[in-house]
Amino acid sequence: MKHLIAPSLLAADFSKMESQIEIINRSEADWLHLDIMDGVFVPNISFGLPVIKSLRPHIDKPFDVHLMIVDPDRYIRDFKLAGADLLNVHYEACTHLYRTIDAIKKEGMQVGVTLNPHTPVFLLEEIITEVDLVLLMSVNPGFGGQKFIENTFKKLTDLKRLIEKKGSRALIEVDGGVTVANAQRLINAGADVLVAGSAVFNAPDPIQAVKELKHFLPEPPLSDLR
Ligand code: DX5
Ligand code: ZN
């Protein structure tokens, strides 16, 4: 499977939503990544349900919603109604993860489980066959524009091995500090979906930036790797 690109709306210019929507629609972006932060699970507040709902009729691409909130179970139905196609919950925010996964599936959404950078992959052993996707955070969640954590490569190897061992069909998504300079290495290490916020929306030409992430053009200079 050709890897997928999911630009993160968090880095978009919220004062120019029409042009940002056009970028998403016209680019080779496969999904739109939407970061929901509650100021409790992470030290930042982003946007919520009304934003997803108002974008939904204007973007004909799957909505990949990343919940960085405590007690996500309370809002599963609301996110479905707002237009989420895939709902990512943090492993660290779910006391009864099996139940949460089940509730997301019952609403007819794809289900993703997200791991913070410090959370080891082996903790997913008992649920890896139940999920559609695992999202590996490659920065501490809460903010865009942070530096990529190199240990993610080790976690990618661990996760790929676990998925194969258990015969899971889960996709692997990487989120945080993804740029054209590390995209190819991430795909080679097993990532299926790359989230990119600042690398897309802060680029001089965001549509071209998505193209480069999708096709790895141009080759990054070695000194640029991080
Ligand atoms: C961070 C968010 C990311 C963020 C990525 O908590 O989950 O999705 O938007 O931004 P960049 O690509 O700028 O690191
Ligand atoms: Zn995210």
Side-chain angles (χ1 to χ4, degrees):
M1 180 190 101
K2 174 84 183 155
H3 69 275
L4 307 178
I5 302 299
S8 167
L9 189 76
L10 191 66
D13 183 341
F14 297 135
S15 71
K16 299 185 185 128
M17 271 324 248
E18 258 184 65
S19 68
Q20 311 294 284
I21 289 170
E22 205 185 317
I23 288 169
I24 297 154
N25 283 335
R26 284 185 39 221
S27 73
E28 290 182 64
D30 297 282
W31 297 350
L32 178 63
H33 186 82
L34 296 138
D35 289 303
I36 310 300
M37 305 178 183
D38 66 354
V40 180
F41 181 71
V42 288
N44 195 12
I45 298 174
S46 57
F47 49 81
L49 291 156
V51 172
I52 298 183
K53 198 172 168 197
S54 63
L55 288 172
R56 190 63 280 189
H58 304 289
I59 298 171
D60 191 20
K61 298 190 181 190
F63 278 13
D64 163 27
V65 176
H66 176 191
L67 296 184
M68 285 161 274
I69 63 174
V70 294
D71 204 1
D73 301 66
R74 286 175 61 191
Y75 302 101
I76 290 171
R77 193 167 171 69
D78 294 330
F79 279 101
K80 169 66 183 178
L81 293 175
D85 296 284
L86 188 149
L87 201 60
N88 272 298
V89 292
H90 266 260
Y91 175 89
E92 303 84 5
C94 298
T95 312
H96 304 287
L97 187 55
Y98 230 100
R99 178 185 289 152
T100 308
I101 290 169
D102 217 42
I104 295 171
K105 284 183 184 167
K106 283 204 173 105
E107 288 296 343
M109 290 179 283
Q110 302 261 298
V111 55
V113 171
T114 307
L115 298 183
N116 271 336
H118 70 276
T119 305
V121 162
F122 73 81
L123 291 170
L124 298 181
E125 219 172 297
E126 307 307 327
I127 52 106
I128 194 68
T129 52
E130 308 300 317
V131 299
D132 298 294
L133 178 143
V134 176
L135 172 53
L136 293 180
M137 285 311 301
S138 39
V139 297
N140 290 297
F143 302 93
Q146 301 182 80
K147 191 177 180 306
F148 180 86
I149 297 173
E150 284 293 321
N151 189 53
T152 309
F153 284 107
K154 185 222 165 244
K155 290 179 76 175
L156 270 170
T157 309
D158 292 350
L159 182 53
K160 194 85 196 149
R161 206 170 283 153
L162 178 66
I163 286 171
E164 278 167 15
K165 184 176 98 184
K166 295 278 188 172
S168 161
R169 63 192 153 74
L171 295 179
I172 304 178
E173 184 173 29
V174 176
D175 182 9
V178 173
T179 67
V180 74
N182 59 20
Q184 180 141 32
R185 280 170 72 213
L186 287 166
I187 299 304
N188 292 346
D192 301 295
V193 189
L194 300 179
V195 176
S198 27
V200 170
F201 289 101
N202 296 350
D205 181 348
I207 292 179
Q208 176 64 20
V210 174
K211 195 193 236 359
E212 289 176 10
L213 286 165
K214 189 87 186 165
H215 304 287
F216 310 128
L217 292 169
E219 280 295 304
L222 275 175
S223 59
D224 226 36
L225 291 177
R226 59 171 190 164

